[in-house]
Amino acid sequence: MSRTSRNTSRRARLEARTESFRCLHCGLDVPMTAAGTGHRNHCPNCLWSRHVDDTPGDRAADCGARMEPLAISVRGDGEWVLVHRCVHCGVLHANRTAGDDNVLPLTRLAVRPLAQPPFPLERLGSL
C-alpha cells in the first residue's frame, strides 16, 4: 500500500469517527447528528453515554468511562432530559433526549419510580 493510500485511508477513518461513534454498552454505530440535540452524546438504542464532556459539547473530560442512564427529568416546557451517572467517577450529567431515541428504554426510565418505588407501598395505606 502506498503512503498516499494510507494517508487517505487514515483520513477517511478520522472523518467517520467525527460523524459517528460506537456505543460502549451495546456496540451500535451512532451518528453524531440527531433531531432535538446539537451535541449527541448518548446511544439512541440503549441510552448509555460516555463521559467525554465537562460542559455540553466541549469534549474536555479526561474520564472517558461509560455513563449509565439513571432517570428521566422533565423541564418546565415538557422536554425530557436523561440523567446519566459515570460508572467510574460518579459525576452526574443531564442530557437532552434526541428525536431518534428508542421510546421503550425512555419509558422504562420514566416509570421506574412507579414500578420500583424507593419505599414500601404498604406505607401509603398508613398515611
Side-chain angles (χ1 to χ4, degrees), residues 1-38:
M1 180 183 282
S2 72
R3 183 179 178 135
T4 305
S5 296
R6 278 183 286 201
N7 287 340
T8 302
S9 177
R10 183 178 300 138
R11 190 176 316 119
R13 283 193 312 269
L14 288 172
E15 287 174 8
R17 266 190 241 148
T18 61
E19 295 173 9
S20 67
F21 65 90
R22 178 154 294 160
C23 176
L24 295 176
H25 186 71
C26 74
L28 182 72
D29 285 324
V30 179
M32 291 296 291
T33 57
T37 183

Side-chain angles (χ1 to χ4, degrees), residues 50-123:
R50 185 172 185 181
H51 190 183
V52 293
D53 292 344
D54 288 329
T55 58
D58 70 3
R59 304 301 191 243
D62 292 329
C63 183
R66 296 180 310 142
M67 295 188 78
E68 178 182 12
L70 293 180
I72 297 290
S73 176
V74 181
R75 292 185 174 161
D77 63 359
E79 179 183 28
W80 282 24
V81 178
L82 286 163
V83 178
H84 286 103
R85 180 180 57 212
C86 179
V87 298
H88 178 71
C89 68
V91 72
L92 294 172
H93 279 281
N95 303 296
R96 295 177 73 181
T97 55
D100 62 349
D101 285 345
N102 186 331
V103 295
L104 184 58
L106 281 172
T107 304
R108 284 181 180 153
L109 281 175
V111 301
R112 185 182 288 169
L114 298 173
Q116 299 169 341
F119 54 85
L121 288 176
E122 298 79 41
R123 294 176 105 186

